[in-house]
Amino acid sequence: MKLIKYILLICFTLNLISCKEKVKNNHLKTEVDSKKDNFTDLSIYNLPSNWTNQDNKVIQLKELKGDVLVMVMVYTTCKVACPRLVADMRTIESKITKKENQNVKYILVSIDPKTDTPEKLKEFAIENKLTDNHWMLLRGTENDTREFAGVLAVNYKKISPMDFSHSNIISVFNQEGELTFQKEGLGINIDGTVDKIKELVNPKK
């Protein structure tokens, strides 16, 4: 009888130690996860919104951490401003070396998520030769799109069933998701934008 009690006591003690270790490990895991997502107050990676890309994959913006982001807001049925914005983005891309572009994402965010399904975004990407891995087209909910436009200081308004008036702004974010540079206009000098991207990709040691 004493032997049984002794064995039970040992089992209870070992189980208690095991539980303490599990609690400790879970606590450490929580701390690591917290540090991993420890973005600054100015980072767009704090936004919890979900986005769908041209390959119908759902992502969160924080998954882009570590790359320089070059962003514009467009819509695929636009016939005037958006094609010129896309042309400006492609000119910027051409000024960045192939090696540098491995650390850059060129992102087009739709202001018309109702029309711009993943299939539409894919067609648009193919038509405009935005098919390299560093190009990404995104759509979200109308609320998330409006919120993100506020972050970029982009104003847009529906003026007909198929048309929007909107700001034409190219924005550059650093590897932590912080806005570092903006340029407004169409067909403008892109040297400042290119210089900022290169500066972020090649920081001075």
Side-chain angles (χ1 to χ4, degrees):
M1 190 70 174
K2 286 184 178 180
L3 180 60
I4 293 173
K5 286 183 178 179
Y6 181 68
I7 292 172
L8 289 173
L9 180 62
I10 291 174
C11 289
F12 176 77
T13 304
L14 290 173
N15 188 52
L16 186 62
I17 292 170
S18 175
C19 287
K20 284 182 178 179
E21 286 298 318
K22 283 180 182 177
V23 170
K24 182 180 177 183
N25 289 338
N26 286 338
H27 180 66
L28 288 172
K29 185 176 182 299
T30 301
E31 283 188 345
V32 169
D33 288 345
S34 176
K35 286 178 182 177
K36 186 172 67 177
D37 290 347
N38 189 22
F39 307 121
T40 70
D41 291 342
L42 299 176
S43 176
I44 58 172
Y45 298 146
N46 290 306
L47 296 173
S49 47
N50 292 319
W51 300 84
T52 307
N53 69 13
Q54 70 270 31
D55 296 316
N56 205 21
K57 180 184 175 184
V58 177
I59 70 163
Q60 288 192 323
L61 294 176
K62 65 182 180 181
E63 294 175 43
L64 305 175
K65 182 182 178 182
D67 285 328
V68 174
L69 310 182
V70 188
M71 289 191 175
V72 292
M73 297 193 78
V74 297
Y75 63 105
T76 62
T77 55
C78 178
K79 302 300 181 187
V80 182
C82 299
R84 295 182 67 187
L85 269 176
V86 172
D88 287 343
M89 290 281 280
R90 289 189 59 194
T91 301
I92 291 167
E93 177 206 22
S94 70
K95 301 290 184 181
I96 308 297
T97 67
K98 186 174 181 180
K99 182 179 179 182
E100 290 169 334
N101 269 325
Q102 292 175 359
N103 299 300
V104 182
K105 285 281 189 295
Y106 299 90
I107 301 176
L108 281 63
V109 180
S110 173
I111 61 175
D112 186 15
K114 238 179 213 182
T115 301
D116 290 338
T117 62
E119 293 76 19
K120 284 278 187 183
L121 295 179
K122 187 76 171 180
E123 289 173 15
F124 187 84
I126 293 170
E127 287 171 5
N128 289 277
K129 300 179 180 178
L130 314 176
T131 52
D132 287 338
N133 289 335
H134 48 250
W135 286 98
M136 185 176 288
L137 286 73
L138 298 177
R139 71 183 289 272
T141 66
E142 291 194 19
N143 286 340
D144 289 340
T145 302
R146 184 66 66 181
E147 179 183 40
F148 194 60
V151 172
L152 298 183
V154 170
N155 295 312
Y156 67 92
K157 181 181 179 181
K158 196 163 191 173
I159 56 176
S160 78
M162 295 296 291
D163 288 312
F164 291 78
S165 64
H166 59 90
S167 308
N168 301 303
I169 301 175
I170 296 177
S171 304
V172 179
F173 291 83
N174 66 18
Q175 290 87 338
E176 297 299 318
E178 299 162 332
L179 182 63
T180 61
F181 185 87
Q182 285 190 308
K183 192 77 173 179
E184 185 169 10
L186 297 170
I188 54 174
N189 188 309
I190 48 90
D191 290 348
T193 308
V194 171
D195 289 344
K196 174 53 70 173
I197 295 168
K198 286 181 172 289
E199 176 190 318
L200 291 171
V201 174
N202 306 296
K204 293 179 181 178
K205 295 181 180 178

